[in-house]
């Protein structure tokens, strides 16, 4: 692992710890939103079908727990995306 390397430092250029925290928080927020939006839309469509169907869809149940988890994760991702500077400064203390 240490072939050809003199020191154990990783040089990232002009990035300090605050920039790395901001990037990490932005990525987490982005992935939370991107990951849970399709699931949220799927659960919303299923709930809408169940409520509006004239014949009723008895075989397909609406997963309100999954809907709630998706909604909470989207809100959490949104809050991370909009407040990433404040959160990074808090953790950089």
């Amino acid at each position: 692992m240490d072939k050809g390397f003199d020191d154990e430092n990783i040089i990232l250029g002009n990035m300090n710890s605050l920039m790395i925290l901001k990037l990490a928080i932005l990525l987490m927020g982005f992935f939370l939103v991107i990951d849970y939006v399709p699931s949220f839309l799927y659960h919303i469509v299923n709930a809408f079908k169940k409520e509006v169907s004239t014949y009723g869809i008895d075989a397909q149940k609406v997963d309100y727990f999954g809907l709630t988890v998706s909604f909470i994760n989207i809100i959490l991702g949104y809050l991370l995306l909009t407040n990433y500077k404040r959160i990074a400064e808090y953790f950089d203390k």
Side-chain angles (χ1 to χ4, degrees):
M1 205 54 201
D2 58 352
K3 271 186 176 175
F5 297 106
D6 294 333
D7 54 355
E8 298 177 1
N9 294 336
I10 299 174
I11 300 171
L12 294 175
N14 211 9
M15 294 187 73
N16 56 8
S17 63
L18 185 62
M19 286 294 291
I20 294 171
L21 277 172
K22 285 180 183 178
L23 181 64
I25 292 169
L26 277 173
L27 286 174
M28 286 191 311
F30 178 72
F31 284 126
L32 274 175
V33 171
I34 293 300
D35 194 34
Y36 283 98
V37 164
S39 174
F40 179 73
L41 292 176
Y42 173 77
H43 291 304
I44 288 290
V45 167
N46 275 347
F48 182 73
K49 281 182 186 177
K50 179 92 171 155
E51 292 298 320
V52 209
S53 177
T54 56
Y55 301 109
I57 306 172
D58 293 329
Q60 193 171 15
K61 301 213 180 219
V62 178
D63 184 16
Y64 290 109
F65 180 74
L67 178 68
T68 306
V69 168
S70 298
F71 180 72
I72 289 171
N73 281 316
I74 290 171
I75 295 299
L76 185 62
Y78 173 76
L79 289 174
L80 285 174
L81 286 173
T82 56
N83 298 310
Y84 72 96
K85 289 179 186 175
R86 220 178 283 155
I87 296 169
E89 289 171 357
Y90 175 77
F91 282 121
D92 196 39
K93 288 182 185 178

